[in-house]
Amino acid sequence: MPVASFSKEIFVDTRLFPTLSLELFNEFLRIVLENLKHGVVAKNKYSKAAEALKVDIDTITKSVQSLSEVIIVMVGKQVQTENDVKQSLLSLSFIEDHIKAFTEVYSTNYKDLRQMLTTMSLRMPHYHNLDWRLDVQVASRCLRNHVKPSFMLQLEIKDANDQPQYHLLESDHATLSHLCDKLEDALKQSQSTHTKRIARYTQ
C-alpha cells in the first residue's frame, strides 16, 4: 500500500506541529482545508495564530503551506488506509493525537480533495501567440502635432480541445506597460520554490 514521502522543505516547515495542542492543530487543519477548497484565507487569521504562539507570521504561513502540501502529496499518492496515513505522518514526527485528528479530517474529505486535484490537472485555455501593431495618431482637427500611440493586439489562445480562439484588443502604452509588470511578477511567483513544489505534486 502507498506511503507518502515528503521533501526536505516539508520536514523543516512542519516542525511546529508536534509542539501544538490538539485544539490548535485542529485549527490549522481547518484553515488548510479552507485554503485548499476555497482559496487562501484572510491573513488576519495568520496574525492571530502568530500572536498566540509567539512566532512570526512567516512561520505560520510556511506551516499552513507545508500541511497543505502534506495533504496534496498524500492525495496524489492515493494514500487511503488508516495505517498508511499513520505511517506517512510518523515520518514527520506527528504525535498520536494529531495523527488521529488528521486521519479523521483527511478520510472525510478525501474524495473531494481527490476530485479537486483531478480538476486542477485538466487542461485550461492557454496562450499560443500574440500579434501586435503600433498605430500613432500625429494630429487631429482639434490638435496639431499631438502624438497619440496605441497598440492593436491580436491574442490567440487555445482551448482545452486545442482549438484556437482569437481576441482583438487595443491598449495605450501605460496600460500595456502595467500589464507587462504584472506578468513579470506572476512569472517570478510561478518560479518560486513553493509553487514548483505544488506543481510537482499536482501534475
Side-chain angles (χ1 to χ4, degrees), residues 75-78 109-118:
V75 172
K77 296 291 185 181
Q78 299 188 48
N109 293 275
Y110 177 82
K111 289 185 178 179
D112 289 342
L113 293 168
R114 185 69 187 169
Q115 180 62 41
M116 180 198 71
L117 283 186
T118 302

Side-chain angles (χ1 to χ4, degrees), residues 13-194:
D13 293 338
T14 54
R15 289 181 300 183
L16 175 67
F17 295 123
T19 69
L20 299 180
S21 67
L22 180 59
E23 181 181 359
L24 284 174
F25 183 71
N26 280 328
E27 180 63 15
F28 269 93
L29 283 174
R30 189 191 64 76
I31 290 174
V32 165
L33 278 177
E34 189 174 344
N35 279 355
L36 291 174
K37 290 185 175 183
H38 307 295
V40 178
V41 301
K43 289 292 184 180
N44 65 324
K45 293 186 179 181
Y46 291 4
S47 300
K48 292 178 181 178
E51 184 178 348
L53 296 172
K54 295 181 170 54
V55 297
D56 54 54
I57 294 180
D58 186 56
T59 298
I60 299 297
T61 302
K62 287 182 177 179
S63 297
V64 170
Q65 290 175 346
S66 66
L67 193 57
S68 299
E69 290 174 38
V70 167
I71 292 176
I72 289 171
V73 171
M74 292 175 62
V75 172
K77 296 291 185 181
Q78 299 188 48
V79 177
Q80 297 185 56
T81 70
E82 183 176 338
N83 184 61
D84 289 339
V85 172
K86 181 176 181 178
Q87 293 303 316
S88 298
L89 296 179
L90 282 174
S91 68
L92 297 173
S93 300
F94 278 30
I95 62 177
E96 192 67 31
D97 285 347
H98 291 178
I99 292 175
K100 289 181 180 178
F102 181 100
T103 302
E104 181 179 349
V105 171
Y106 179 83
S107 299
T108 301
N109 293 275
Y110 177 82
K111 289 185 178 179
D112 289 342
L113 293 168
R114 185 69 187 169
Q115 180 62 41
M116 180 198 71
L117 283 186
T118 302
T119 301
M120 288 173 64
S121 66
L122 295 176
R123 291 196 62 191
M124 303 296 290
H126 59 280
Y127 168 86
H128 183 69
N129 190 36
L130 178 68
D131 291 322
W132 62 276
R133 182 184 76 224
L134 174 62
D135 290 339
V136 180
Q137 179 180 324
V138 296
S140 66
R141 292 182 178 180
C142 300
L143 297 172
R144 293 184 179 181
N145 300 322
H146 177 67
V147 178
K148 183 181 179 182
S150 65
F151 292 88
M152 302 300 297
L153 311 169
Q154 179 176 271
L155 174 64
E156 180 185 354
I157 63 175
K158 290 194 173 181
D159 61 20
N161 297 316
D162 214 32
Q163 296 300 309
Q165 297 178 356
Y166 298 94
H167 301 273
L168 296 177
L169 309 167
E170 182 178 5
S171 173
D172 58 24
H173 179 268
T175 301
L176 200 58
S177 179
H178 178 69
L179 177 61
C180 287
D181 290 341
K182 291 298 182 182
L183 289 174
E184 288 178 358
D185 290 342
L187 181 60
K188 291 178 182 177
Q189 181 64 33
S190 72
Q191 295 170 343
S192 69
T193 301
H194 176 63

